[in-house]
Amino acid sequence: MASPPQRSAHSKEQAPLEKIAKPQTPLALAGYRVLDLTGEIGHYCGKMLGDMGADVIKIEPPGGDPVRFIGPYYKDQRDPDKSLRWFSANTSKRGVTLDLSKPQGRRIMEKLLPTAQVIVTSWTRKEAQALGMDEAAVRRRYPNLIYTSITGYGLDGPYANYRWADITGMALGGLMYLMGDPDRPPIVFRAPQAYFHASSQGALGTALALYHRTRTGIGQLLDVSMQEAVTFNLNGPGTIVSWWTVEKSGIRREGGSLNFRFIKWHVMLPCKDGYTANTGVLGWDKFPVLRDLMAKEGVAEDLLDPKWESATSFPPGPGQWQCTQAELDYVYDVFTKWQMRHTKEEILELAVKHALPVFPVNASDDLLHSRQLEAREYWIDVPHPELGTTIRYPGGHVKLSGTPMRISRRAPLIGEHNTEIYRDELGISESELRDLRAAKVL
């Protein structure tokens, strides 16, 4: 990773809010201020709170957050203000620089803290104590403050001071164990899923704590563990944790298949331009429809035999017979040959027309051009005046009818709002700001 260059505050103007937001619409967290002191594990939490209307101030070290030095970059221009990874999780925030390891930096933080209702960090307890910013010290001074901590393993326990990365969350949380083929090692998902899990739960918990604070005036600590966030989400679909506690048998990785122990379905199958997924080919009332489609093209093979209409891969009901794995594999093989004659779009149209349990596996380009996502205004074009263009982003992660979430601004440039916040809001003079920049505090 490249060393962060020393930068001064930028003079380029932020995208005008009114161009990408609808100021007349109320926002759920309007009026609240959040100080975002997180590393990458918590960036998305701040973004979600900002999308809900909070005034989120991203506080970076002088020179910029380390994520700015991770590609890919806009048009491959290696500039910390053009990292697409930074862009994606830091919209709806203002940004300042501040070195909390220096006394002058901590004094400025003492001016910022009383203006906020929430502080979000990703320090271990030991790191926070070294800065005098641990939960106990901060909330002793500001008892109504909500202190959201998002770390790899939580603030307590034997792993509390271990270092982390997204891959450790995927591995220790159990998600990685389920991904890949059964006869090969587990695989890692490219996008930082464990970070997103932890951040999402941090944002949800913060919103709940704000509700409690509004009712009681009392703040509290939110202690989010990335490992627990990933394991918790596994529990929902009934995979490792819940099945193990009840049946002492966990679901294992099965590649593109679904293993019911007595029979294996081939869920992911190739087609002409990619893959489709299915919820079963044999044993459904739609099997004759699918077989007839194949027959029209002369590729139904032995499936025209009426015996297949009463076949099932599960224990048979009245009038049914249970096929073997080899027989089911044969049916999937014939189905795959038919699929290879069609594109995903063609298969989707047939599936919709005949109510078939088959659907395309979308790639990125499919999602960008999805009619469904377009109809729901999922994608948002956010102005980037510093680049002279707009960039398309995913919009709010949920749709609220009364207080819709939205991206209010692009991710901040390094130190973009130093003057706006330090001089205009905190009253620090220009000469003081010059001295702080010279001392590399800002």
Side-chain angles (χ1 to χ4, degrees):
M1 182 182 299
S3 299
Q6 296 301 310
R7 300 283 293 263
S8 59
H10 291 255
S11 58
K12 294 173 182 175
E13 293 182 354
Q14 168 64 294
L17 184 67
E18 62 273 17
K19 288 189 176 180
I20 49 181
K22 299 174 182 176
Q24 72 276 14
T25 307
L27 298 170
L29 298 185
Y32 292 112
R33 171 169 287 182
V34 177
L35 304 181
D36 181 350
L37 289 144
T38 63
E40 189 177 8
I41 191 173
H43 284 180
Y44 200 68
C45 173
K47 171 191 161 45
M48 291 174 71
L49 297 173
D51 287 351
M52 287 188 273
D55 175 21
V56 179
I57 300 176
K58 181 76 188 83
I59 300 174
E60 308 174 60
D65 188 288
V67 171
R68 293 180 178 274
F69 302 90
I70 301 175
Y73 293 90
Y74 177 75
K75 295 189 174 181
D76 290 329
Q77 299 169 10
R78 294 177 180 273
D79 182 323
D81 278 331
K82 296 179 180 177
S83 165
L84 299 182
R85 191 150 173 165
W86 168 259
F87 285 1
S88 66
N90 289 283
T91 51
S92 300
K93 302 179 186 179
R94 296 191 288 169
V96 297
T97 53
L98 189 64
D99 187 349
L100 288 173
S101 69
K102 296 179 177 176
Q104 306 99 308
R106 291 195 288 275
R107 284 197 289 273
I108 292 176
M109 177 55 68
E110 288 304 315
K111 292 177 181 287
L112 276 171
L113 281 171
T115 72
Q117 290 73 44
V118 178
I119 176 175
V120 188
T121 78
S122 56
W123 299 311
T124 65
R125 195 185 295 278
K126 187 176 180 181
E127 291 169 335
Q129 287 172 341
L131 294 169
M133 290 289 293
D134 58 290
E135 179 264 343
V138 172
R139 293 196 59 248
R140 191 179 304 120
R141 303 193 298 277
Y142 307 101
N144 61 349
L145 193 69
I146 294 165
Y147 190 107
T148 299
S149 168
I150 304 174
T151 60
Y153 318 105
L155 293 175
D156 302 300
Y159 291 10
N161 290 315
Y162 287 4
R163 292 184 180 277
W164 65 79
D166 180 75
I167 193 172
T168 63
M170 295 273 285
L172 290 173
L175 180 58
M176 191 184 296
Y177 177 79
L178 300 176
M179 299 176 67
D181 296 315
D183 57 343
R184 302 177 69 181
I187 60 174
V188 63
F189 196 85
R190 177 67 185 276
Q193 292 300 295
Y195 284 172
F196 289 142
H197 285 322
S199 269
S200 297
Q201 293 191 15
L204 172 62
T206 300
L208 293 172
L210 279 170
Y211 175 70
H212 178 263
R213 182 184 184 277
T214 300
R215 294 174 60 207
T216 66
I218 301 173
Q220 59 183 300
L221 167 67
L222 269 78
D223 181 3
V224 179
S225 155
M226 172 177 61
Q227 179 189 20
E228 293 173 8
V230 172
T231 303
F232 179 83
N233 282 341
L234 293 182
N235 207 30
T239 52
I240 290 181
V241 180
S242 58
W243 283 43
W244 176 258
T245 56
V246 176
E247 297 187 353
K248 305 302 180 190
S249 64
I251 288 181
R252 299 167 297 180
R253 60 184 175 281
E254 297 290 347
S257 300
L258 185 58
N259 194 337
F260 294 98
R261 288 184 289 178
F262 55 87
I263 201 82
K264 182 187 291 186
W265 285 6
H266 302 294
V267 177
M268 305 294 176
L269 295 172
C271 64
K272 195 172 183 178
D273 61 346
Y275 291 88
T276 68
N278 67 82
T279 56
V281 173
L282 197 61
W284 294 79
D285 59 352
K286 292 296 180 180
F287 171 76
V289 178
L290 180 60
R291 176 207 56 200
D292 291 345
L293 288 173
M294 291 188 274
K296 283 183 179 178
E297 299 178 31
V299 295
E301 300 189 17
D302 184 52
L303 299 187
L304 290 173
D305 188 325
K307 72 175 184 179
W308 293 109
E309 294 186 15
S310 56
T312 178
S313 52
F314 285 98
Q320 292 182 317
W321 61 279
Q322 186 172 8
C323 67
T324 65
Q325 183 67 58
E327 290 168 325
L328 182 61
D329 289 346
Y330 167 73
V331 175
Y332 276 119
D333 182 59
V334 175
F335 177 60
T336 301
K337 290 177 182 174
W338 174 78
Q339 278 210 152
M340 292 299 292
R341 300 166 63 92
H342 298 278
T343 65
K344 288 185 288 187
E345 184 66 25
E346 291 168 349
I347 292 171
L348 176 61
E349 289 180 8
L350 289 170
V352 171
K353 182 177 181 180
H354 299 285
L356 301 175
V358 183
F359 40 95
V361 178
N362 282 336
S364 300
D365 191 57
D366 300 318
L367 293 172
L368 278 171
H369 297 94
S370 165
R371 295 196 304 268
Q372 174 66 14
L373 296 182
E374 181 181 355
R376 287 175 57 79
E377 299 181 334
Y378 176 78
W379 299 108
I380 304 295
D381 290 329
V382 177
H384 277 253
E386 83 287 4
L387 303 176
T389 189
T390 61
I391 294 179
R392 182 155 292 186
Y393 289 77
H397 63 281
V398 295
K399 286 190 175 295
L400 298 171
S401 63
T403 55
M405 298 178 64
R406 56 184 175 241
I407 295 175
S408 59
R409 62 175 71 236
R410 58 148 171 77
L413 307 176
I414 299 175
E416 181 174 1
H417 300 98
N418 279 0
T419 300
E420 180 177 304
I421 292 173
Y422 293 145
R423 187 194 66 186
D424 300 345
E425 296 185 14
L426 299 185
I428 300 175
S429 68
E430 283 286 2
S431 62
E432 289 177 285
L433 290 178
R434 281 196 298 272
D435 291 343
L436 290 167
R437 291 190 189 103
K440 301 187 185 306
V441 176
L442 305 183

